[in-house]
Amino acid sequence: MWFAAAVVAHDLVLFPRYALADRLLSVRTDRQPSDNHRKVFVRNYIRVPAQGAGLTLLVFLPGIIDQGGPTYQAATGQTQQPFLGRWVLLTATMFAASAVSYALHLAVLRRIAG
C-alpha cells in the first residue's frame, strides 16, 4: 500500500515540480557565445548536489525526525539531535564544492577563449 502511495505521490506531485525546476535551469549562462567559446550550463552544477542532498535526506530522514529515538539511544547511548545539523552541513558542502567547480570551469574556458 505504501509503495503505491509513493508512486502516485512521485508521479503527481514530485515529478512535475522537479521537471519544472530542471526546465528553469536549462537557461544558458552565455548570452551570445563566440564560435570558439564553449557553452557552460549551470544545470548540472545544481542538479548533482541537489540529487545528493535528496538521497542523503532519504538516508538520514528517520534520524532527522527522531523516529525510533529511544531505540537509537538504547543501542548507541547517543541522541539523534545532531542528524539535522550534519545533513545541512553535508548539503551545504556539496553545493559549495559544486559552485567552486563551476567557477573553475568558467575560468578555464575564459582563459582558453581569450
Side-chain angles (χ1 to χ4, degrees):
M1 183 69 159
W2 66 268
F3 184 73
V7 169
V8 169
H10 173 266
D11 290 348
L12 296 178
V13 177
L14 295 177
F15 179 73
R17 289 185 182 182
Y18 64 73
L20 177 63
D22 190 53
R23 178 73 60 180
L24 293 174
L25 290 174
S26 67
V27 177
R28 295 180 184 180
T29 57
D30 295 329
R31 290 188 177 90
Q32 298 206 3
S34 61
D35 291 335
N36 62 355
H37 186 69
R38 293 177 151 180
K39 299 172 190 168
V40 177
F41 297 100
V42 72
R43 179 185 337 182
N44 290 333
Y45 291 94
I46 295 175
R47 182 186 289 167
V48 170
Q51 288 176 347
L55 182 61
T56 56
L57 178 64
L58 282 175
V59 170
F60 288 118
L61 187 62
I64 291 171
I65 62 173
D66 292 330
Q67 183 179 16
T71 305
Y72 183 81
Q73 188 167 12
T76 64
Q78 300 175 355
T79 67
Q80 292 174 312
Q81 188 269 336
F83 276 78
L84 177 61
R86 290 175 183 169
W87 176 77
V88 169
L89 183 62
L90 179 64
T91 300
T93 302
M94 286 189 289
F95 275 100
S98 183
V100 168
S101 176
Y102 179 67
L104 288 173
H105 191 174
L106 279 178
V108 167
L109 288 180
R110 288 190 179 144
R111 186 169 186 177
I112 290 171

